[in-house]
Amino acid sequence: MKSYHIHVEGIVQGVGFRPFVYRIAHENDLRGYVKNLGDAGVEIVIEGREENIKKFLRDLREKKPPLARIEKIKKKEIPLQGFDRFYIEKSSQGGEGGDSIIPPDVAICDDCIRELFDPADKRYMYPFIVCTNCGPRFTIIEDLPYDRINTTMREFDMCDFCESEYKDPLNRRYHAEPVCCPVCGPSYRLYTKDGEEMRGDPLKKAARLIDEGYIVAIKGIGGIHLACDATNEEAVEELRRRTLRPQKPFALMARDLKTIESFAIVDEPEKEELTSYRRPILILRKKEPFPLPEKLAPGLHTIGVMLPYAGTHYILFHWSKSPVYVMTSANYPSLPMVKDNERAFKELKDLADYFLLHNRKILNRTDDSVARFVNGKRAVIRRSRGFVPLPVEIPFHYNGLALGAELMNAFCIAKNGRVYPSQYIGNTGKIEVLNFMREAINHFKKILRLKKLDLIIADLHPTYNTTKLGMELAEESHTEFLQVQHHYAHVASIMAEHRLDEIIGIALDGVGYGTDGNVWGGEVIYLSYEDVERIAHIDYYPLPGGDLASYYPLRALMGILSNIYRIDEVQEIIKRHCPKAIESLKYKDVEFNVILNQLTRGINVSYASSTGRVLDAFSVLLNVAYRRTYEGEPAMKLESLALKGKNDLKFEIPVEGETLKVEELFNQTLESRPNPADIAYSVHLALGRAFGEIALEKAEEFGARAIGISGGVAYNELIVKTIRKMVETRGLKFYSTYEVPRGDNGINVGQAFLGGLYLEGYLSREDLIL
């Protein structure tokens, strides 16, 4: 007979781990107990024959619940305790040093779906049906350990039936903290926009209203959505008008996979992602001809779609004639998604016709995650529901806070060799979003038992609200504050995810504050534990009006053209090739002439190496897009045009020293006469070839074997595919990120990695900002 103390760390709370341990202990004729230690994991004390204990430990790893993830198992032999049975001990709070991981919100499982539509089941058509394998987690948790008393479900006292299942170790709902039924759980109500409750089955009635062309605000797991019938062009157009989103693509929710396949191309990896427990919005290629209204995603070859992930959605589609809904976040542009009932009536009264609301509190606002497959690999665009708060491991052990970027913001907490990225926060240029960020930071520090920070890290940009917040928090807590350059952090995120020692990183995006005060965005960077160096970049070009160029890409086009043409020639080129761009300016010809004057006299002109602005400029020259009404719009529409191209025109970007002369691309375009799709296609290939070639040259110079790409342009299929093929053909390793977002939503992970390099003395403060 032997006795062992076993400590398990990982995703072991809220996933049915203790009843699983209970079952395999009984199957192996063992005695002792299993106990939840809160943030410190799970404790097991086991007694019995040694061969049975060996089998128990094997089962522990091989038969664990589908949502569980074991990070560490520590085993120590102890004296026999003399247990007469195996039981589940009451949870304890744990301590600050623990590493238990909170599971993310999980899509409804197949077992619960079967029960949901079984008329004989007690939870028949009950939208809040859950078990230990599915349901809300992060959105309802207030503290650890993950017990009902520490969630927003504590407001609902379990009935005898639910309690009997909750306390039965052999039941699928044993310690499923959100467990409930129609007798004791949350419920939906349907209201008019004036707050008057409507009679009848609220979900059935809401489905009928959507079918009739109305817009309904639906409270779900992480917040409130605005829903309408995606097949109804008038309803879609009305939703655009109300939400002030004239062009931004709407996310869809389809009844099932067969419905998605009727309007989008879905390959096997995409099917797996769509049906995974994460259920993200997945960006798919439209089928041609596209059978749904073009206004759902105007000018794009893609459409964002997700499958139902809660009982609510399945019930709505059960009653609805429409097979696909628009399901977009309930908010005005750049503001946080609304999550509370009271605020819904105040803030959404001009957006929704009806309100389908439940009475369970959403503690942690969590948007839907967004991803797409680029060159056959998943690329996360917005990391939120289904992912958060799962961590990313890094090789540095310190307590830190990395505040991310200004747009597409998420922060992360570093603790004990892991970084925990937050849910999607948004545009922190808005005070409402910044307040949400403060609340989320405090919540993460609470659930991770983080009382003292070693370092706070922020972007180098001096006017970012995140930078100012970092300074403020550092002063309040007497914590060291570190700023790191934007594109260094992009490259560092690749090193963090793949545990690399060095890399030649290609960082391509729209805007990042450079160490020289210019706007960067087309960079090749060498990063290792001992050095960070900008080794190549797009040659600087003027940006008249600075940030205005990101909204009016004509400004970027005129700035780039002014590098190789006289101002009068620039004027003539614009009037000949894209005269409608002038009409898109707020003050039309008057503003056009002001821009020409700015370039002539060098007034209010910044300088950029941005790849994003280059792509934006081509979108104007080829008459694809003249305004940016949402982040990345001109470049995204240019990519859609490029994918229709067939002929590679063999455009080339000359390299002089360490600079790529992208203006020559425009010169070559103006001298050619093919169709716009072939030009767009060739421009993308030329950019990919130029960055791939210079990265390969630098890899040979530095003796590096890894080349990676990050930044917003790393979602571009043509550019990534071109670079990857070049790198792998030369026998080097190609990397990007597949868990961490490639754009600014993932920059926090790179910041935390650089913070670790700084604290351990590999890189100095000057290395990261000079």
Side-chain angles (χ1 to χ4, degrees):
M1 296 287 286
K2 294 281 188 178
S3 181
Y4 288 93
H5 178 275
I6 300 166
H7 184 221
V8 185
E9 295 179 3
I11 303 177
V12 289
Q13 294 192 51
V15 293
F17 194 78
R18 287 175 295 168
F20 157 70
V21 172
Y22 177 89
R23 286 194 298 273
I24 63 172
H26 277 270
E27 288 170 6
N28 289 289
D29 193 26
L30 298 172
R31 295 170 296 283
Y33 68 85
V34 58
K35 181 180 182 181
N36 187 348
L37 297 178
D39 61 314
V42 166
E43 175 185 72
I44 304 168
V45 173
I46 206 84
E47 286 186 358
R49 297 171 61 185
E50 188 158 16
E51 57 267 33
N52 291 22
I53 292 175
K54 286 182 180 178
K55 186 173 184 303
F56 169 85
L57 290 169
R58 191 162 57 247
D59 291 345
L60 192 67
R61 285 193 177 276
E62 296 177 359
K63 297 181 179 181
K64 64 183 183 297
L67 299 178
R69 189 167 86 190
I70 296 175
E71 301 282 346
K72 296 177 185 176
I73 296 179
K74 298 176 183 177
K75 185 184 73 168
K76 179 177 69 174
E77 187 171 358
I78 60 174
L80 288 168
Q81 306 290 303
F83 293 103
D84 61 355
R85 62 189 175 92
F86 193 90
Y87 61 95
I88 297 174
E89 178 67 271
K90 185 179 179 182
S91 301
S92 64
Q93 282 295 118
E96 185 179 346
D99 281 313
S100 184
I101 301 168
I102 303 160
D105 299 289
V106 178
I108 185 173
C109 68
D110 291 341
D111 289 331
C112 283
I113 293 173
R114 279 192 291 271
E115 292 173 350
L116 183 66
F117 293 109
D118 179 2
D121 193 274
K122 185 176 176 65
R123 297 183 180 87
Y124 173 62
M125 298 297 275
Y126 182 58
F128 300 94
I129 188 171
V130 295
C131 69
T132 53
N133 296 324
C134 66
R137 302 290 198 275
F138 175 70
T139 48
I140 64 172
I141 190 167
E142 185 171 322
D143 203 355
L144 289 178
Y146 177 62
D147 286 335
R148 192 179 183 100
I149 191 65
N150 291 325
T151 74
T152 58
M153 284 299 297
R154 66 173 174 268
E155 298 176 6
F156 302 93
D157 294 329
M158 279 184 278
C159 65
D160 291 343
F161 172 76
C162 288
E163 190 170 15
S164 68
E165 291 191 325
Y166 181 84
K167 290 183 176 179
D168 180 1
L170 300 179
N171 191 283
R172 198 174 90 248
R173 293 188 170 89
Y174 175 77
H175 274 264
E177 306 307 338
V179 68
C180 56
C181 73
V183 173
C184 64
S187 59
Y188 272 102
R189 299 285 185 273
L190 183 65
Y191 303 92
T192 67
K193 61 167 50 183
D194 296 322
E196 181 181 345
E197 185 176 346
M198 301 180 69
R199 294 180 179 179
D201 184 326
L203 274 77
K204 184 176 182 179
K205 183 68 175 175
R208 298 286 167 82
L209 288 168
I210 291 172
D211 287 346
E212 291 170 14
Y214 291 103
I215 297 167
V216 179
I218 301 171
K219 185 177 180 181
I221 289 177
I224 297 175
H225 289 89
L226 294 173
C228 73
D229 179 1
T231 68
N232 184 327
E233 191 162 357
E234 290 183 7
V236 172
E237 182 61 28
E238 179 62 16
L239 184 58
R240 286 209 173 280
R241 187 189 67 78
R242 294 185 191 181
T243 58
L244 308 178
R245 300 173 192 170
Q247 293 286 312
K248 187 175 182 179
F250 280 139
L252 307 183
M253 179 177 282
R255 185 192 304 274
D256 50 33
L257 194 56
K258 184 179 178 181
T259 300
I260 296 177
E261 290 176 320
S262 71
F263 61 80
I265 299 167
V266 193
D267 62 22
E268 284 305 314
E270 289 169 332
K271 287 180 184 178
E272 290 179 14
E273 190 66 25
L274 280 167
T275 57
S276 71
Y277 72 82
R278 294 176 291 273
R279 301 285 168 90
I281 298 168
L282 200 60
I283 309 299
L284 301 170
R285 292 187 71 162
K286 295 176 180 174
K287 277 191 172 178
E288 296 294 344
F290 187 56
L292 298 176
E294 177 61 25
K295 291 179 180 179
L296 291 169
L300 299 178
H301 70 289
T302 56
I303 189 76
V305 61
M306 58 184 155
L307 286 169
Y309 55 83
T312 304
H313 306 138
Y314 280 93
I315 295 171
L316 285 169
F317 280 117
H318 173 80
W319 294 119
S320 184
K321 293 178 182 178
S322 174
V324 58
Y325 289 169
V326 170
M327 193 70 80
T328 189
S329 299
N331 57 274
Y332 284 103
S334 299
L335 294 178
M337 175 173 56
V338 176
K339 66 181 181 67
D340 301 319
N341 295 4
E342 299 77 14
R343 292 188 64 185
F345 288 114
K346 292 178 182 178
E347 298 180 27
L348 305 177
K349 63 180 180 180
D350 294 328
L351 302 185
D353 299 308
Y354 296 92
F355 293 78
L356 180 63
L357 305 175
H358 62 70
N359 58 340
R360 181 176 67 198
K361 183 180 178 183
I362 297 172
L363 189 70
N364 301 305
R365 177 189 288 106
T366 308
D367 289 77
D368 297 313
S369 293
V370 182
R372 72 180 291 186
F373 277 72
V374 177
N375 200 211
K377 300 282 189 177
R378 185 184 72 189
V380 180
I381 298 170
R382 186 169 76 192
R383 190 180 188 274
S384 210
R385 178 186 52 76
F387 288 91
V388 175
L390 297 181
V392 176
E393 291 196 14
I394 60 171
F396 309 111
H397 289 253
Y398 74 100
N399 291 345
L401 168 63
L403 291 163
E406 188 85 337
L407 300 177
M408 290 291 292
N409 178 269
F411 62 87
C412 74
I413 297 288
K415 182 188 177 188
N416 290 350
R418 295 189 179 107
V419 292
Y420 297 83
S422 75
Q423 71 269 49
Y424 173 74
I425 300 297
N427 177 6
T428 53
K430 300 285 187 178
I431 189 65
E432 296 89 345
V433 178
L434 198 64
N435 289 337
F436 166 37
M437 185 180 186
R438 290 173 185 270
E439 294 170 5
I441 289 171
N442 289 333
H443 184 68
F444 263 73
K445 288 171 70 176
K446 179 180 179 180
I447 60 176
L448 291 171
R449 300 287 192 270
L450 198 63
K451 295 179 181 177
K452 184 173 176 12
L453 293 169
D454 301 315
L455 186 67
I456 294 174
I457 313 110
D459 193 89
L460 185 60
H461 201 297
T463 65
Y464 274 2
N465 278 336
T466 49
T467 304
K468 296 174 182 176
L469 177 62
M471 293 177 177
E472 178 186 319
L473 293 175
E475 186 175 350
E476 288 175 0
S477 60
H478 305 288
T479 303
E480 187 174 4
F481 178 65
L482 177 70
Q483 290 177 263
V484 300
Q485 202 279 324
H486 187 91
H487 300 94
Y488 297 171
H490 269 309
V491 174
S493 69
I494 309 174
M495 289 184 68
E497 182 170 316
H498 296 285
R499 305 297 290 268
L500 302 176
D501 295 327
E502 66 173 352
I503 191 171
I504 301 292
I506 302 169
L508 309 180
D509 63 7
V511 175
Y513 188 81
T515 60
D516 57 2
N518 290 321
V519 177
W520 291 8
E523 318 303 315
V524 182
I525 292 161
Y526 173 72
L527 179 61
S528 71
Y529 274 46
E530 297 177 352
D531 187 21
V532 57
E533 187 177 341
R534 184 196 196 200
I535 51 180
H537 59 90
I538 286 175
D539 196 18
Y540 288 127
Y541 53 83
L543 275 186
D547 286 347
L548 278 175
S550 64
Y551 297 97
Y552 298 92
L554 174 60
R555 290 174 172 270
L557 174 61
M558 293 171 68
I560 295 170
L561 292 176
S562 73
N563 263 3
I564 50 175
Y565 295 101
R566 300 191 314 269
I567 292 299
D568 62 315
E569 292 175 324
V570 172
Q571 182 178 17
E572 180 59 31
I573 289 168
I574 299 303
K575 289 188 173 181
R576 184 190 316 138
H577 291 276
C578 46
K580 289 184 180 179
I582 300 173
E583 294 301 307
S584 74
L585 296 171
K586 189 173 183 180
Y587 300 105
K588 300 182 172 51
D589 283 307
V590 172
E591 187 172 345
F592 180 59
N593 290 326
V594 169
I595 298 169
L596 292 169
N597 189 48
Q598 283 180 302
L599 290 168
T600 301
R601 301 175 62 185
I603 299 172
N604 192 23
V605 172
S606 57
Y607 290 85
S609 60
S610 163
T611 310
R613 296 296 86 85
V614 170
L615 294 170
D616 289 354
F618 269 107
S619 77
V620 174
L621 186 62
L622 299 179
N623 295 291
V624 174
Y626 308 119
R627 290 279 302 274
R628 190 202 85 182
T629 65
Y630 61 88
E631 190 67 27
E633 177 184 356
M636 288 166 62
K637 289 183 174 178
L638 183 71
E639 181 190 10
S640 292
L641 175 65
L643 288 168
K644 296 177 182 177
K646 297 178 181 178
N647 299 313
D648 181 4
L649 305 174
K650 304 295 182 182
F651 290 164
E652 293 184 358
I653 300 175
V655 178
E656 293 183 6
E658 296 177 352
T659 60
L660 287 73
K661 313 292 284 187
V662 294
E663 58 264 29
E664 288 300 324
L665 270 182
F666 293 84
N667 191 29
Q668 293 165 52
T669 296
L670 291 168
E671 291 177 353
S672 63
R673 288 283 184 267
N675 69 66
D678 284 344
I679 292 176
Y681 178 67
S682 302
V683 164
H684 283 78
L685 296 186
L687 283 165
R689 284 193 293 260
F691 277 107
E693 190 57 47
I694 200 164
L696 285 163
E697 289 177 9
K698 295 300 181 180
E700 183 176 358
E701 179 183 326
F702 282 81
R705 301 293 301 168
I707 293 176
I709 183 170
S710 188
V713 179
Y715 298 113
N716 185 291
E717 180 79 28
L718 287 170
I719 292 175
V720 172
K721 184 178 181 179
T722 301
I723 296 172
R724 180 180 181 179
K725 184 177 180 181
M726 292 175 68
V727 170
E728 293 181 343
T729 299
R730 300 278 187 93
L732 274 66
K733 291 283 188 181
F734 175 84
Y735 293 93
S736 192
T737 54
Y738 312 113
E739 294 291 334
V740 177
R742 301 177 184 185
D744 282 5
N745 191 234
I747 206 170
N748 58 84
V749 175
Q751 290 174 339
F753 187 87
L754 292 174
L757 286 174
Y758 166 73
L759 284 177
E760 297 207 3
Y762 292 107
L763 295 176
S764 69
R765 184 180 295 271
E766 289 71 24
D767 289 330
L768 298 169
I769 62 172
L770 296 178

